[in-house]
């Protein structure tokens, strides 16, 4: 059995997948130490792993970005905020992350270090020491592939791949503009690595960071990622991680109604804003409930993913529509088999969970990597991209009707479901650990 370090940025969307990986490897008998945010200590213990907290200088509470990073709120969503995040959320902690890894390796001489791909201390470890003098470094891609390519548009605005040489040339010019605007970001990240005593190689930043790892395992399948003839050789698609099965979770009182909806000829629409951007339910949950109100042919489930979600929803919508039901936390592995469409803000993990159940999507996204996720939903034919994080009720109603009324969306979602089923991400990671030895 191997000694393994698993390290994650202290953000739920990054930590969650790495926790599942750590738990799977621990369950196989490997000795695993999880290096992560303090708020996840209990979850790490539940996975049977030893927990090591990140130093305070590299830790923060992602449930309140405004408190941890007040300057971030002044940066507009889109490329500007992606650049700010690259510098301050992911770049600034890199020296502290690397120091924490070095300190941990003194007492725990791991043969494998697994990290989410934006835990830049992992890339610094790979670049700063020769393979024989460090663990094998395995990066996990928990968001769409960022690496630039002659076969895609620049990452960020959610543009589909080029359809002809004219568009390819336009994208190449746009990529040049993006590279010039992103030069200060790259230089800032380079200085963060220098502060850690590591030289960041020249080149496109996402490609350099991707190629730094000995192995880069992307949590998706080829059917959900744009083809690239120049993808780095160390990248491999391994499928999505299954969400943990619910263990005796208490189901809402309206659950029997959900189970009977299909037999009654009603379609089930689930709406969620995920587990992070769910503080303002007027962005997507409330307008979806209003858009579909009065529809006796639909049962609409608002999954707020918050303990106080029903109270937040009631503050904005005191009277739920007659066809709507709401809940705080609800087990998605039990909910999605009943769903006919998921309305979502485009979280990478949540979209893959829906596709893993063959559920087509309506995506309303505008922040972080979510526009790129939404673009891939549209490109793969598994749903509709509304191209905004605050859609109108009219657009929401039309999109839900389009997905429910056109069988191709369900067929494509089922095809992705089958492709995901053919990839067993936990087994692929465990096999790689065994190969490394």
């Amino acid at each position: 059995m191997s000694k393994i370090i698993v390290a994650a940025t202290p953000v739920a969307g990054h930590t969650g997948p790495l926790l599942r990986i750590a738990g799977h490897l621990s369950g196989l008998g490997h000795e695993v130490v999880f290096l992560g945010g303090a708020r996840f200590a209990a979850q790490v213990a539940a996975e049977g792993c030893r927990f090591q907290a990140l130093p305070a200088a590299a830790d923060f509470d992602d449930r309140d970005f405004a408190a941890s990073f007040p300057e971030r709120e002044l940066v507009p969503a889109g490329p500007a905020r992606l650049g700010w995040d690259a510098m301050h959320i992911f770049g600034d902690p890199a020296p502290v992350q690397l120091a924490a890894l070095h300190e941990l390796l003194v007492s725990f001489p791991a043969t494998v270090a697994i990290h989410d791909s934006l835990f830049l201390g992992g890339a610094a470890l790979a670049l700063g020491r020769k393979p024989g003098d460090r663990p094998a470094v395995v990066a996990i891609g928990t968001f769409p592939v960022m690496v630039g390519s002659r076969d895609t548009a620049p990452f960020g605005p959610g543009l589909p791949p080029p359809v002809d040489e004219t568009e390819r040339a336009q994208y190449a010019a746009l990529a040049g503009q993006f590279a010039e605007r992103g030069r200060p970001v790259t230089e800032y990240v380079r200085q963060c690595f220098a502060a850690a005593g590591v030289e960041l190689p020249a080149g496109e930043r996402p490609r350099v960071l991707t190629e730094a790892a000995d192995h880069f395992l992307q949590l998706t399948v080829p059917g959900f990622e744009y083809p690239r003839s120049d993808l780095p050789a160390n990248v491999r698609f391994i499928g999505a991680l299954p969400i943990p099965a619910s263990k005796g979770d208490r189901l809402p009182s309206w659950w029997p109604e959900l189970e009977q909806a299909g037999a009654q000829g009603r379609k089930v629409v689930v709406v969620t804003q995920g587990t992070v951007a769910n503080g303002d339910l007027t962005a997507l949950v409330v307008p979806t409930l209003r858009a579909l109100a009065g529809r006796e042919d639909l049962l609409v489930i608002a999954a707020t993913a918050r303990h106080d979600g029903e109270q937040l929803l009631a503050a904005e919508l005191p009277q739920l529509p007659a066809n709507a039901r709401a809940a705080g936390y609800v087990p998605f592995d039990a909910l999605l088999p009943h769903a006919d469409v998921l309305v979502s803000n485009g979280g990478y993990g949540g979209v893959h969970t829906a596709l893993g159940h063959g559920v087509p999507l309506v995506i309303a996204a505008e922040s972080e990597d979510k526009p790129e996720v939404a673009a891939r939903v549209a490109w793969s034919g598994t749903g509709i991209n509304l191209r905004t994080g605050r859609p109108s009720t009219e657009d929401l109603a039309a999109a839900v009707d389009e997905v429910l009324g056109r069988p191709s969306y369900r067929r494509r979602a089922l095809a992705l479901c089958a492709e995901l089923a053919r990839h067993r991400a936990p087994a692929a990671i465990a096999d790689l650990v065994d190969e490394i030895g």
Side-chain angles (χ1 to χ4, degrees), residues 17-18 115-117 139-144 216-220 239 348:
L18 274 294
H115 65 95
D116 81 82
S117 57
I140 305 295
T142 60
F143 51 88
F216 191 105
L217 306 182
Q218 182 68 33
L219 293 178
T220 193
Y348 198 60

Side-chain angles (χ1 to χ4, degrees), residues 131-409:
D133 296 330
R134 59 164 172 78
V137 175
V138 180
I140 305 295
T142 60
F143 51 88
V145 175
M146 291 180 66
V147 175
S149 170
R150 58 178 172 267
D151 301 318
T152 67
F155 188 91
L159 299 171
V163 297
D164 54 32
E165 290 305 315
T166 298
E167 196 164 69
R168 190 183 296 271
Q170 292 172 343
Y171 282 175
L174 186 61
Q177 296 170 19
F178 275 35
E180 185 59 33
R181 289 204 298 267
R183 198 177 304 279
V185 177
T186 296
E187 183 55 33
Y188 188 95
V189 174
R190 191 180 310 282
Q191 292 173 7
C192 292
F193 274 71
V198 176
E199 181 181 358
L200 186 68
E204 181 210 22
R205 187 178 71 258
R207 182 173 290 271
V208 167
L209 293 173
T210 296
E211 292 179 337
D214 299 306
H215 307 272
F216 191 105
L217 306 182
Q218 182 68 33
L219 293 178
T220 193
V221 291
F224 195 70
E225 186 54 70
Y226 306 140
R228 291 170 170 82
S229 59
D230 49 2
L231 189 69
N234 65 331
V235 176
R236 179 156 59 104
F237 297 132
I238 63 169
L241 293 168
I243 61 172
S246 53
K247 299 177 181 178
D249 292 332
R250 184 175 180 180
L251 299 175
S253 60
W254 44 257
W255 199 263
E257 187 178 2
L258 172 69
E259 294 177 324
Q260 297 162 13
Q264 296 172 348
R266 304 172 80 189
K267 300 291 187 181
V268 175
V269 179
V270 176
V271 58
T272 183
Q273 290 179 208
T275 57
V276 177
N278 55 15
D280 179 8
L281 298 180
T282 65
L284 185 57
V285 172
V286 170
T288 300
L289 295 178
R290 286 177 172 153
L292 304 178
R295 295 279 299 272
E296 295 183 1
D297 60 324
L298 301 179
L299 178 62
V300 186
I301 307 298
T304 64
R306 298 176 59 103
H307 290 299
D308 60 348
E310 290 181 79
Q311 290 77 20
L312 280 180
L313 184 57
E316 299 294 343
L317 200 63
Q319 184 65 48
L320 278 179
N323 66 344
R325 305 292 178 266
Y329 287 98
V330 58
F332 262 51
D333 64 310
L335 176 61
L336 286 177
H338 300 285
D340 294 286
V341 61
L342 175 68
V343 181
S344 161
N345 61 351
Y348 198 60
V351 164
H352 279 84
T353 298
L355 293 176
H357 287 83
V359 179
L361 300 129
V362 172
I363 304 295
E366 66 179 356
S367 62
E368 293 87 35
D369 61 315
K370 293 179 176 65
E372 290 290 339
V373 179
R376 284 155 175 78
V377 166
W379 171 80
S380 64
T382 57
I384 291 176
N385 177 10
L386 291 175
R387 300 181 181 277
T388 177
R390 288 184 171 273
S392 68
T393 55
E394 293 80 9
D395 287 345
L396 281 164
V400 168
D401 280 341
E402 168 77 8
V403 170
L404 291 176
R406 191 179 293 248
S408 63
Y409 292 109

Side-chain angles (χ1 to χ4, degrees), residues 85-165:
D85 289 351
M87 291 189 293
H88 302 296
I89 293 180
F90 304 112
D92 285 342
V96 180
Q97 292 171 351
L98 179 60
L101 285 168
H102 282 159
E103 182 179 353
L104 180 55
L105 284 167
V106 172
S107 60
F108 187 75
T111 56
V112 184
I114 302 173
H115 65 95
D116 81 82
S117 57
L118 285 181
F119 186 96
L120 298 190
L125 177 66
L127 292 168
R129 293 166 62 173
K130 295 179 180 179
D133 296 330
R134 59 164 172 78
V137 175
V138 180
I140 305 295
T142 60
F143 51 88
V145 175
M146 291 180 66
V147 175
S149 170
R150 58 178 172 267
D151 301 318
T152 67
F155 188 91
L159 299 171
V163 297
D164 54 32
E165 290 305 315

